[in-house]
Amino acid sequence: MPTTTIDNHEIHVDDEGFMTQYDEWTEDLGTVLAAQIGIEMSDEHWKAIRFLRSDFPEHGETATLRRVATVGGIPTKQLFTLFPKKPAKKMAYVAGLPKPRGCV
Amino acid sequence: MKHLVILGGGTAGTMIANKLRHRLDRTEWRIAVVDRDDEHHYQPGYLFVPFGGYTHEQVVRSRHTFLPDGVDFVFGSVDEIDTGENVVRLDSGRALPYDQLVIATGSTPRPDQTPGMLGPEWRRSIFDFYTLEGAEALADALARFDGGRLVVHVTEMPIKCPVAPLEFTFLVEAWLRERGIRDQVELVFVTPLDGAFTKPVASAHLGGMLDERKVHVETDFLVERIDSERKVLVSYDDREVPFDLLVTVPLNMGADFVARSGLGDELNYVPVDKHTQLSTEFDNIFAIGDASDIPASKAGSVAHFSVEIFVDNFLQHIAGRPMTGAFDGHANCFVESGDDKALLIDFNYDTEPLTGKYPLPVVGPMDLLKETRANHLGKLAFRWIYWNVLLPGRPVPLPALMSMAGKHVPTTAPEKQEA
Ligand SMILES: Cc1cc2nc3c(=O)[nH]c(=O)nc-3n(C[C@H](O)[C@H](O)[C@H](O)COP(=O)(O)OP(=O)(O)OC[C@H]3O[C@@H](n4cnc5c(N)ncnc54)[C@H](O)[C@@H]3O)c2cc1C
């Protein structure tokens, strides 16, 4: 597994730059990752990211947009505004979780 | 007497009933299969119906004739599972007690879940081919179609048979060519994914095949609604795709009673252990086939391979022993590509579809990820195998777990994608 250094932390990532170790993530790191893809974090952004983080250990995989909308209570339309163009991937990236599986 | 109740007499439910009837002591276990109708559909056959390939009779058979003696066929719609009392309640009010329960009620297209899909244009200019009625109505519409924008669309993942929309696109392109009107048609493939398919090697390959056929691909398109007056698909990020004829795969969902019983995820799929299919919550409930949330393709082949692993596990489980089998997510699918050719893909949880030979290394006779006539004949032969070998639970000479023999592993990592 490749590693990279962000904000002076050495973290494990996959070929596409998604973090692979759940516990290496912190909210500060999330802010840096978000900035890398042009997103400035607001409370609304954090609400989505925190849902993803809390859902992951229980569910074993990154929540889909539908799950964030129906279980997390954030409408899909809003997710597209917060994380434009590819919300599912962008949220996973910021939350330090695996890229959502494309559902084979 | 103990009761095994199987909900759904489709691909998985029928195979389980056939296999377990031979393995469970008749003086100890009663087996019941519940289904709401007596029509078993060979769903992969729907793909050919819009092109006049298969008739109604070729894809529908009487369900109960596939169940063995000693299995009760209960005719009825499941209303709810009472997990406290271990009872299944049917619409009719009938109650079926169970000791062990298998949920095999599959997944169903739900056009009602996308605003505008079931509007005035439904089955006028908007069609699906995931139901037999839809595929038949589409056959009429295609026969009348003489040009314009034909859009093939996937609403959201996961869908059963994730390659079917691509196959439809390849087949319709070949069919338009055959009719001499390919020039009059603009073909568009609209997907919520970031490419033609989910897995990188196959996605690149299948995407290339769409390019060759001059099919425009609109990626990352998550439909919010259909404006049926203007005949456009509108995405959550306000992109629009106009159509003259829309062939959509609606949202696929598990049965509503799963949600009513508090057993489902956000799409009514039952969370289970991906290796044993045992419910993550209840020690006497399994979900098999499309009804479960395992991260494998929702496909008949997955139902088949997972049933093979499930049967031995189930016998261990009811004997109070640990389950020793582990399903690996093995799927293999023929992908029709038009002009009487098809590709074959073989993959599992950990390995994506690769090029190579199947089922025997070097010899094949089938080629993986390559268009050949042998693969197409394999696909057609499958209907016979389904009715005569698979459903009755007879042994199929294919290993249930995936094998790496004969596969070419790429030496370079898949291309990087932006986040
Ligand atoms: C167009 C198309 C093409 C396909 N092509 C392929 C292919 O090439 N290869 C492949 O491997 N797979 C293919 N598939 C997928 C395959 O058909 C399914 O994955 C397979 O049938 C799943 O089996 P199952 O037993 O889980 O569900 P099903 O076979 O769908 O059975 C579910 C059963 O449950 C019953 N049921 C549902 N709800 C209730 C209720 N409330 N009460 C009572 N009964 C209920 C239904 O009537 C049905 O009989 C295709 C599917 C489609 C639609």
Side-chain angles (χ1 to χ4, degrees):
Chain A
M1 265 309 155
T3 59
T4 183
T5 306
I6 291 182
D7 211 21
N8 292 326
H9 296 280
E10 168 133 328
I11 55 169
H12 291 82
V13 291
D14 68 9
D15 302 332
E16 296 177 60
F18 287 84
M19 288 178 66
T20 53
Q21 306 287 318
Y22 183 84
D23 294 327
E24 284 178 358
W25 188 90
T26 59
E27 293 214 346
D28 287 345
L29 203 54
T31 311
V32 178
L33 291 169
Q36 281 184 347
I37 54 171
I39 290 171
E40 196 186 321
M41 296 297 283
S42 68
D43 287 352
E44 302 289 285
H45 288 94
W46 281 118
K47 195 176 159 211
I49 298 303
R50 287 182 190 131
F51 172 75
L52 246 71
R53 289 289 301 177
S54 65
D55 186 69
F56 184 81
E58 190 191 320
H59 209 60
E61 59 188 69
T62 307
T64 59
L65 290 185
R66 178 168 291 269
R67 192 166 170 83
V68 180
T70 53
V71 184
I74 309 167
T76 308
K77 188 87 188 171
Q78 193 183 345
L79 297 174
F80 271 91
T81 316
L82 294 171
F83 301 91
K85 293 219 163 72
K86 300 184 182 203
K89 269 175 132 183
K90 287 185 174 172
M91 286 191 299
Y93 184 76
V94 175
L97 297 173
K99 181 170 124 177
R101 70 179 159 90
C103 301
V104 275
Chain B
M1 211 50 168
K2 289 194 179 137
H3 295 269
L4 164 62
V5 176
I6 301 168
L7 305 181
T11 308
T14 305
M15 286 191 288
I16 289 172
N18 277 303
K19 286 190 183 283
L20 280 181
R21 187 63 291 177
H22 299 300
R23 307 280 297 274
L24 288 174
D25 187 340
R26 283 173 194 243
T27 58
E28 239 182 279
W29 283 91
R30 282 192 79 138
I31 305 180
V33 172
V34 184
D35 208 298
R36 58 188 165 199
D37 57 40
D38 192 27
E39 279 193 4
H40 191 123
H41 288 213
Y42 176 59
Q43 298 172 42
Y46 296 171
L47 179 68
F48 299 102
V49 171
F51 309 102
Y54 280 153
T55 60
H56 195 97
E57 291 64 39
Q58 284 174 307
V59 292
V60 183
R61 301 237 175 134
S62 172
R63 202 184 285 292
H64 73 270
T65 55
F66 288 98
L67 296 176
D69 287 344
V71 169
D72 304 321
F73 179 50
V74 179
F75 200 40
S77 207
V78 180
D79 181 42
E80 200 184 356
I81 301 166
D82 183 336
T83 48
E85 300 286 323
N86 288 344
V87 164
V88 174
R89 293 185 214 289
L90 307 183
D91 270 357
S92 60
R94 188 169 165 193
L96 303 170
Y98 64 84
D99 294 283
Q100 295 288 332
L101 184 70
V102 175
I103 302 175
T105 36
S107 150
T108 316
R110 294 290 294 270
D112 58 303
Q113 300 288 313
T114 301
M117 201 179 269
L118 279 185
E121 289 302 315
W122 180 247
R123 301 220 170 136
R124 290 171 72 121
S125 61
I126 305 178
F127 294 87
D128 78 306
F129 66 96
Y130 268 47
T131 59
L132 186 52
E133 310 86 75
E136 286 174 344
L138 178 56
D140 291 340
L142 276 181
R144 290 193 307 267
F145 186 70
D146 51 16
R149 274 175 73 90
L150 198 165
V151 176
V152 183
H153 165 243
V154 178
T155 302
E156 205 171 304
M157 299 306 278
I159 56 170
K160 48 185 164 182
C161 202
V163 291
L166 284 165
E167 297 184 272
F168 178 83
T169 310
F170 297 143
L171 288 177
V172 84
E173 197 275 340
W175 185 81
L176 292 167
R177 253 189 290 120
E178 222 171 275
R179 279 183 58 204
I181 58 166
R182 178 66 186 92
D183 295 348
Q184 273 100 277
V185 181
E186 211 178 326
L187 265 176
V188 185
F189 185 80
V190 182
T191 170
L193 299 172
D194 59 11
F197 193 57
T198 50
K199 310 274 187 160
V201 173
S203 181
H205 196 94
L206 296 165
M209 287 172 60
L210 289 171
D211 286 347
E212 278 165 26
R213 289 161 175 78
K214 304 217 167 15
V215 178
H216 173 72
V217 183
E218 186 78 29
T219 55
D220 293 301
F221 189 100
L222 195 60
V223 71
E224 182 184 17
R225 62 192 167 88
I226 296 180
D227 183 336
S228 46
E229 228 160 79
R230 290 167 50 229
K231 291 205 199 168
V232 285
L233 291 160
V234 184
S235 71
Y236 279 103
D237 52 358
D238 302 315
R239 278 182 286 157
E240 295 194 342
V241 173
F243 60 84
D244 293 302
L245 182 64
L246 175 66
V247 179
T248 184
V249 178
L251 182 69
N252 280 203
M253 285 176 81
D256 284 337
F257 76 82
V258 171
R260 275 199 296 277
S261 313
L263 276 166
D265 66 8
E266 64 283 0
L267 286 170
N268 301 349
Y269 296 122
V270 185
V272 295
D273 178 285
K274 69 176 183 176
H275 299 300
T276 63
Q277 323 268 143
L278 181 63
S279 153
T280 50
E281 221 182 323
F282 297 96
D283 202 38
N284 61 345
I285 299 182
F286 291 84
I288 305 239
D290 296 349
S292 86
D293 79 334
I294 60 170
S297 276
K298 298 201 177 295
S301 60
V302 171
H304 165 218
F305 296 134
S306 62
V307 165
E308 302 274 331
I309 307 292
F310 160 79
V311 168
D312 288 330
N313 275 343
F314 181 78
L315 296 170
Q316 292 170 337
H317 187 65
I318 57 173
R321 294 201 302 271
M323 296 186 271
T324 54
F327 180 55
D328 65 349
H330 186 196
N332 70 40
C333 311
F334 288 106
V335 187
E336 279 293 298
S337 57
D339 306 307
D340 294 341
K341 288 188 185 151
L343 297 81
L344 180 64
I345 55 178
D346 193 57
F347 56 108
N348 70 8
Y349 291 142
D350 305 316
T351 309
E352 60 169 315
L354 301 169
T355 52
K357 295 275 187 188
Y358 186 85
L360 302 174
V362 189
V363 181
M366 254 91 80
D367 285 285
L368 294 170
L369 257 184
K370 196 169 141 193
E371 292 172 72
T372 67
R373 200 171 144 72
N375 286 338
H376 167 69
L377 295 175
K379 173 124 186 166
L380 293 184
F382 207 74
R383 189 172 60 93
W384 189 91
I385 296 175
Y386 184 81
W387 294 124
N388 297 289
V389 183
L390 263 189
L391 279 189
R394 299 207 174 94
V396 179
L398 293 177
L401 297 178
M402 200 198 72
S403 153
M404 283 307 285
K407 293 199 169 73
H408 306 149
V409 182
T411 43
T412 49
E415 257 179 65
K416 277 197 180 188
Q417 290 168 359
E418 42 148 358

